[in-house]
Amino acid sequence: MSGKRDYYEVLGLSRDCTMNDIKQAYRKLARIYHPDVNNGDPQAEEKFKEISEAYAVLSNEEKRRQYDMYGFSGNLFDGINFESVFSEFGFGDLFNMFFGDTFGSRYSTSYSTRQGSTRKMFKGTDVYVEATISFKEAAFGVKKEIEYNVNENCPECKGKKAKSDSGIATCSVCRGTGKVSVSRSTFLGSLITTSTCQNCQGTGVIVKEPCEKCNGKGYIKVKRKISVDIPSGVNDNDSLRISGQGNSLGASSIPGDLILNIKVKPHLQLKRDGNDVVSIIDISFAQAALGTKLNIETLDGNEEIYIKPGTQPGSKIVLKSRGIVPLNGYKRGDHIVYLNVKIPSDLNEDEKALLKKYAEGRGELVFDGKIEQNHNNFFSNFKKVFKN
Ligand SMILES: [Zn+2]
Ligand SMILES: [Zn+2]
C-alpha cells in the first residue's frame, strides 16, 4: 500500500521480539534521531518519525497483532493515544508538533494541534457490539448483518445543532478556531502549544437557537444495519474495528468506530488448535486391531478415513489442509484426528466366550468372571505368572 519500511525492520527487531525489546530499541534509536540532538536536521526528523510510528504501533498489543496479520492496511493508528504513548519518554508535546498532521488528518483530528491548523474536530465515541458466529464461519470467514443503535447526525439541522444558520454564532473567545494558544517553555525552547477552548468546548461555535429535534445536540439515536466481512481465522473474543461506524457528535465531528466483538460458538466435535482443527474419534478394540473405514465430520463436510490394522490408542491421522483458513488466507491448517480405542465394558456372554477363546489362543491370562468369589485364587494365579 505504501513505500513504508516494515516496522520491525525500522526498529531492528525480529518478529518474535518482546515488548521490552521494542521499548529498548525505541529508546536507543530515539536518542540518536531525536530532533533535539540533530539541530533540526530534516533527515533525522524523518527517521525520528519513522521509528516513533513503528513504536506507537508495535508497543500496542492489539495494534501489533493487527499489523502482524494485515500489515499496513486498515486503520493502524486508530485508537492509539499517541500523547500517552510518548509521554513516557517525555515526547508527548513533541509528538503533537511533528505528527499532528501525519496521523491527525487521516485518523483523528484530536491530535492536530499544530499551529494554525483548522478548527479542532471531535471524534465521537466508539460503539461496542457483539456478534456470534459458528465454528465453521470462523474457519472460513463470513459476511454478517449487524444491527445496532448509534448516534447519527440529526436530519433536521444536518448535525449543525441550531434551528438555522443564524441560530449559530462564532465563539468569541477562540474566534471560531476551537482552540486557545498558550506559550510554554520546553527543553527545545519556547513553544506555542494549544488547548481546547473551554467557552465552546472546542467546537468554535455557540448555539443560540438549538434545533428542536435533537435539542441542540446535533445527533439523534437511530438503528443502523450494516454488512460486515468477518475474516477467516478469527478467534473467539477477537475484536474488529469498523472505522467511522460509531457515534457522531454532530456535523463538526468525525464519527467514532464500531467495535465488533466476535464470539465463536464451540463445535461439538471439532476443536481449534492454532490453525489446526482437532477431533477425537472413538474406535473399538476390534476396529483398531483389524482396521476399518470411518465417516468423520470435517470443516468441509463428512470425509471417509481409513484406520489401518493394528492402530494403537492415541495415534493420529492428519488430514492435510482441512483446518482453519488463517487471517492472511495463505496456508490452511490441518485436521488432526486422534484415535481413542474404547475397551468394551458391556460384553454379553457370547462375546465374553469369544474373547476368552482369543486370549486362550494367545496364552493370555484373563479373569474367568468370578473375581468376587475366587479373589485369592485369581491373584495367586497372577503371582505364579510373575514368578516365571
Ligand atoms: Zn437537530
Ligand atoms: Zn471557543
Side-chain angles (χ1 to χ4, degrees), residues 154 156-169 205-219:
C154 167
E156 186 72 27
C157 62
K158 309 275 183 296
K160 287 178 186 165
K161 304 178 183 183
K163 262 182 189 166
S164 63
D165 285 352
S166 61
I168 228 165
V205 292
I206 302 290
V207 179
K208 289 190 298 187
E209 289 172 64
C211 162
E212 275 163 16
K213 186 170 175 73
C214 63
N215 292 321
K217 286 189 302 208
Y219 56 84

Side-chain angles (χ1 to χ4, degrees), residues 282-294 307-311 341:
D282 287 342
I283 56 173
S284 76
F285 155 74
Q287 286 173 318
L290 302 171
T292 186
K293 268 194 281 187
L294 290 176
I307 312 290
K308 65 175 194 308
T311 289
V341 178

Side-chain angles (χ1 to χ4, degrees), residues 171 174 197 200:
C171 171
C174 62
C197 171
C200 61

Side-chain angles (χ1 to χ4, degrees), residues 192-252:
I192 307 287
T193 53
T194 53
S195 60
T196 305
C197 171
Q198 293 304 306
N199 190 45
C200 61
Q201 271 77 50
T203 57
V205 292
I206 302 290
V207 179
K208 289 190 298 187
E209 289 172 64
C211 162
E212 275 163 16
K213 186 170 175 73
C214 63
N215 292 321
K217 286 189 302 208
Y219 56 84
I220 54 162
K221 190 155 262 252
V222 296
K223 203 165 253 226
R224 183 184 291 164
K225 204 186 239 183
I226 59 166
S227 179
V228 177
D229 277 314
I230 297 173
S232 66
V234 287
N235 275 295
D236 187 39
N237 258 331
D238 272 355
S239 284
L240 294 180
R241 182 179 285 270
I242 298 112
S243 182
Q245 294 288 353
N247 286 321
S248 171
L249 290 170
S252 60

Side-chain angles (χ1 to χ4, degrees), residues 150-363:
V150 65
N151 293 333
E152 221 168 65
N153 282 357
C154 167
E156 186 72 27
C157 62
K158 309 275 183 296
K160 287 178 186 165
K161 304 178 183 183
K163 262 182 189 166
S164 63
D165 285 352
S166 61
I168 228 165
T170 302
C171 171
S172 56
V173 174
C174 62
R175 292 188 196 86
T177 62
K179 292 189 297 271
V180 285
S181 298
V182 188
S183 178
R184 301 178 52 193
S185 46
T186 72
F187 67 97
L188 290 172
S190 182
L191 292 175
I192 307 287
T193 53
T194 53
S195 60
T196 305
C197 171
Q198 293 304 306
N199 190 45
C200 61
Q201 271 77 50
T203 57
V205 292
I206 302 290
V207 179
K208 289 190 298 187
E209 289 172 64
C211 162
E212 275 163 16
K213 186 170 175 73
C214 63
N215 292 321
K217 286 189 302 208
Y219 56 84
I220 54 162
K221 190 155 262 252
V222 296
K223 203 165 253 226
R224 183 184 291 164
K225 204 186 239 183
I226 59 166
S227 179
V228 177
D229 277 314
I230 297 173
S232 66
V234 287
N235 275 295
D236 187 39
N237 258 331
D238 272 355
S239 284
L240 294 180
R241 182 179 285 270
I242 298 112
S243 182
Q245 294 288 353
N247 286 321
S248 171
L249 290 170
S252 60
S253 76
I254 42 169
D257 302 330
L258 169 66
I259 314 288
L260 202 59
N261 185 241
I262 310 289
K263 295 281 172 206
V264 181
K265 264 189 278 181
H267 193 281
L268 288 177
Q269 270 88 46
L270 310 177
K271 299 274 172 286
R272 183 168 175 173
D273 180 15
N275 286 324
D276 290 336
V277 164
V278 174
S279 61
I280 299 172
I281 301 292
D282 287 342
I283 56 173
S284 76
F285 155 74
Q287 286 173 318
L290 302 171
T292 186
K293 268 194 281 187
L294 290 176
N295 210 345
I296 65 152
E297 184 163 2
T298 75
L299 283 174
D300 303 278
N302 279 15
E303 195 158 316
E304 199 158 74
I305 59 168
Y306 174 66
I307 312 290
K308 65 175 194 308
T311 289
Q312 301 300 317
S315 37
K316 62 182 184 184
I317 292 174
V318 178
L319 306 174
K320 282 276 174 204
S321 300
R322 284 279 183 276
I324 308 281
V325 180
L327 277 158
N328 60 26
Y330 290 145
K331 196 184 170 293
R332 256 186 100 170
D334 300 328
H335 181 156
I336 299 160
V337 184
Y338 286 97
L339 299 167
N340 179 35
V341 178
K342 282 275 238 199
I343 306 300
S345 54
D346 55 351
L347 295 172
N348 62 31
E349 290 310 315
D350 288 349
E351 290 164 344
K352 277 183 199 164
L354 279 169
L355 272 180
K356 272 184 208 157
K357 204 167 165 208
Y358 158 85
E360 225 173 84
R362 294 178 71 100

Side-chain angles (χ1 to χ4, degrees), residues 14 21 51 66 125 142 253 255 260 289 329 331 352:
S14 64
D21 295 337
I51 59 165
Q66 188 184 335
T125 52
V142 66
S253 76
L260 202 59
K331 196 184 170 293
K352 277 183 199 164

